Amino acid sequence: MEGAVIQQLRAMFKSPEMIAQTYQATRGLEAEELERLRSERTELEARLAELKQAASRLLDSGASDSETTDEIRRTNEEFVDTQRRFRDIDEEIHGMQARLVSERDVAESLRRLDPVWDELFPLEQSRIVHLLIERVTVNTDGMNIRIRGNGLHSLVSEVRDTTNQHERSCAR
């Protein structure tokens, strides 16, 4: 049965429908993550504005007691931390936008998997199968394999990143 599942997987990797479904699932996951990051960036922008206003109020108050000084210090520390997180989020958004998966990436990644399958260690084959397959149902008409959309996204990303690293190291 395991051999039949692997054969069906290998055939599915080559099908235009699988490539299109994988691409759509991958783009959906990327869009969700970008939206989450953009939302966090918006919240951080609002928090930075609040902290600037709070710092201005504290400085404009002219108070110099230790409580006000401590509050100014805490506000400044939070501002610096929030600004750092904002920059990290911004870099992450730009990085994701630069690495968005194309349909060609998906097709190439799935195409590259088939020829190397037999060279993979059994543990790696098992990891990939568990990453990709949600459920296998066997009935009198044959077998139905339910694929995990996010598993395909992870696999495509891994293959693409490994290929990019290999190409960069060969260029040196």
Side-chain angles (χ1 to χ4, degrees):
M1 185 162 129
E2 181 180 327
V5 169
I6 299 301
Q7 284 308 108
Q8 280 209 357
L9 269 180
R10 289 174 112 163
M12 288 168 61
F13 291 156
K14 298 174 188 172
S15 80
E17 296 84 15
M18 177 58 70
I19 292 168
Q21 287 175 0
T22 303
Y23 173 69
Q24 291 302 320
T26 299
R27 288 306 305 247
L29 291 169
E30 289 173 336
E32 286 175 16
E33 180 63 9
L34 278 170
E35 180 57 35
R36 185 192 68 75
L37 289 169
R38 288 180 178 133
S39 176
E40 185 175 349
R41 182 174 63 182
T42 299
E43 290 170 12
L44 291 169
E45 281 178 317
R47 184 63 184 146
L48 286 169
E50 290 170 6
L51 291 167
K52 281 181 184 178
Q53 288 177 345
S56 290
R57 278 193 307 274
L58 288 166
L59 292 172
D60 290 345
S61 75
S64 60
D65 57 71
S66 64
E67 188 175 308
T68 303
T69 303
D70 287 346
E71 186 63 27
I72 290 171
R73 182 186 48 75
R74 282 192 300 273
T75 301
N76 185 57
E77 287 173 359
E78 184 179 350
F79 183 84
V80 169
D81 290 344
T82 303
Q83 199 172 39
R84 186 177 303 121
R85 179 66 183 146
F86 179 85
R87 280 193 303 269
D88 291 347
I89 292 289
D90 213 38
E91 286 177 17
E92 200 171 338
I93 289 170
H94 285 72
M96 274 194 74
Q97 289 171 332
R99 293 185 320 267
L100 289 176
V101 172
S102 69
E103 196 162 356
R104 183 175 172 265
D105 291 333
V106 171
E108 187 66 19
S109 295
L110 293 175
R111 185 189 63 75
R112 287 179 184 214
L113 187 60
D114 188 50
V116 300
W117 182 263
D118 293 329
E119 306 300 320
L120 295 174
F121 287 110
L123 190 60
E124 184 64 6
Q125 288 177 344
S126 176
R127 184 186 75 82
I128 291 171
V129 167
H130 285 93
L131 182 71
L132 295 176
I133 296 177
E134 185 173 322
R135 179 177 51 229
V136 176
T137 306
V138 180
N139 54 40
T140 57
D141 297 342
M143 180 174 13
N144 184 9
I145 300 175
R146 184 175 179 129
I147 301 292
R148 297 178 203 271
N150 60 345
L152 285 166
H153 168 70
S154 298
L155 182 62
V156 167
S157 295
E158 280 182 34
V159 172
R160 187 187 60 185
D161 292 345
T162 302
T163 301
N164 290 342
Q165 288 172 356
H166 177 72
E167 288 170 355
R168 281 193 302 271
S169 68
C170 288
R172 293 179 189 168

